[in-house]
Amino acid sequence: MSITLQTLTITEAHKALLAGDITVRALVDMYLAVIEEKNEELNVYLTLHTDIDDQVERAQQMFTNGTATELTGIPCALKANLMRKGQVANASSRILENYQATYTATVVQKLEDQGVVFLGATNMDEFAMGSSTENSAYGATKNPHDVTRVPGGSSGGSAAAVSADMALCALGTDTGGSIRQPAALCGNVGLKTTYGGVSRYGAIAMGSSLDQIGPFAKNAVDARIIWNAIRGQDEHDMTTISNDYWDTTVNKDVYSIAIPEGFLDGVEPAVLEVFNTAVLKLEQAGHSINRVPMPSLTYGLPVYYVVMPAEVSSNLARYDGIRYGKQVLGDTLLDTYVKTKSQGFGAESKRRIMLGTYVLSAGYADKFYTQALALKEKMKQDLEEVYKTYDFVLTPTTPTAAFKFGEKSSDPLQMYLEDIFTVSANIVGVPAISVPMGTVNLDGSDMPVGMQFMGRHSEDLAVLDIAEKFENL
Ligand code: GLN
């Protein structure tokens, strides 16, 4: 049986493995061959895991002894801020250079238990701050559709891995869009789960009230398979939701969908055109779509860029070269701190640490941080109103398709605007998915763009369902 990686899904790979048409070894080797061929140019993987052979053997064993699941033997990429014991997890930072995880993240353990084969650690923006993967201390990742363009970020490596057939699926983290935005720019499906739906234990923390781990996949069905495997309550993460809480009865034949009126004004015309065509298709399929004013969505970016740096400044404080992180020794203790942090962190991390420290400082906290928290509540209430009538809020995932290297990196505010449609789901804690909606032609390359469905709290299954319905149109 011949296997074409480009169109292969988890479901099909599983069938082939189960039927014995292909072995785990042969499947993994196909991906390793592509990695060998493309990684130098694309810079997708920072390192490959050192125990691939053992993982392959274990997975094949599961087929032999009848304990295999849909995920057994499936080659998966892991963002470099997710820990797998003994493997490099450096969050693409100098300060964690060569750091090897001392324990395994809950999500990784769950997938390992099912025999997933982890191939390696993928490149990202340092500590997950960025929208282009240009903030990595180890060089940028290139977009497989056009190597002069960014793959998005911060999980750019994971998104590119799936698009370039360097993994069949991947895990990333999403604090303000870092799964959905690169999934959109690389042309795959990316899911940000309900806050607390998936354990964060073993993810290198950035913005703890916003961070969620989630899958990159070829399609919505594959994303659901991974989501099902990684979700659930975890004694190591007190924010995880009890398993009884999930509403599994949310699938409908047709959904009612709201598009925020006036909120799409900044979207590039070519992207908007693809979006409008996609909306038409949804309407023709019977879903009802209305334009609804949602003014509080405009608070998303300002709230995010206060709350997120505030949490970053406290989460990254531990990397001082004494307790955590690579030490650069100075003449005095203070000198050691200064040298360690100056050389260990990149420009964007420093910018956010300073910004976060500022908005939390005495005299300013009330003016910025407390205000942001109040606006967050307001956004929650307003969206809850919308969700009384509508199942989803629909927008493009991003205002633009993949941009060129350097185009936005010199202007942080331009870069932050990339997140305009994605940050709200993290702020209010609801699930959201990006699913490919078409391509726009940029200088001769067809660049993918994505559509985002943002659903009700704990209705991840509905979000996956509408994504699947949309794919099938
Ligand atoms: N691009 C956003 C930022 O730079 C989102 C990052 C993320 O989701 N990790 O903060």
Side-chain angles (χ1 to χ4, degrees), residues 79 127-131 153-154 173-179 206 304-305 308 348 352 415-416 419 423 426:
K79 190 178 181 178
F127 284 105
M129 286 172 249
S131 308
S154 63
T173 57
D174 191 313
T175 306
S178 282
I179 291 175
M206 179 168 73
Y304 178 81
Y305 278 100
M308 186 272 178
E348 186 62 26
R352 299 217 195 169
M415 191 71 89
Y416 298 169
D419 309 325
V423 291
N426 302 77

Side-chain angles (χ1 to χ4, degrees), residues 171-316:
L171 288 183
T173 57
D174 191 313
T175 306
S178 282
I179 291 175
R180 290 158 288 157
Q181 187 257 10
L185 271 40
C186 287
N188 38 59
V189 171
L191 173 71
K192 199 293 277 182
T193 57
T194 293
Y195 187 77
V198 171
S199 168
R200 287 176 293 116
Y201 180 73
I204 296 177
M206 179 168 73
S208 308
S209 78
L210 307 156
D211 297 342
Q212 276 292 283
I213 300 169
F216 288 89
K218 291 281 192 53
N219 60 26
V221 171
D222 282 6
R224 187 175 56 223
I225 293 171
I226 302 167
W227 174 78
N228 244 325
I230 61 175
R231 77 198 177 93
Q233 196 167 13
D234 180 12
E235 59 176 13
H236 296 301
D237 177 356
M238 288 181 308
T239 62
T240 47
I241 301 169
S242 146
N243 290 337
D244 317 326
Y245 186 76
W246 293 95
D247 193 349
T248 48
T249 58
V250 285
N251 297 15
K252 298 180 184 170
D253 289 336
V254 290
Y255 288 102
S256 57
I257 300 171
I259 297 176
E261 195 173 53
F263 193 49
L264 310 188
D265 292 350
V267 176
E268 262 179 17
V271 177
L272 201 58
E273 205 181 300
V274 178
F275 178 74
N276 287 335
T277 311
V279 169
L280 212 63
K281 274 197 210 160
L282 281 166
E283 274 179 323
Q284 282 161 357
H287 304 287
S288 83
I289 300 187
N290 282 296
R291 314 257 157 184
V292 181
M294 293 180 220
S296 69
L297 285 184
T298 56
Y299 305 147
L301 277 182
V303 168
Y304 178 81
Y305 278 100
V306 170
V307 171
M308 186 272 178
E311 295 183 11
V312 160
S313 73
S314 94
N315 269 326
L316 299 198

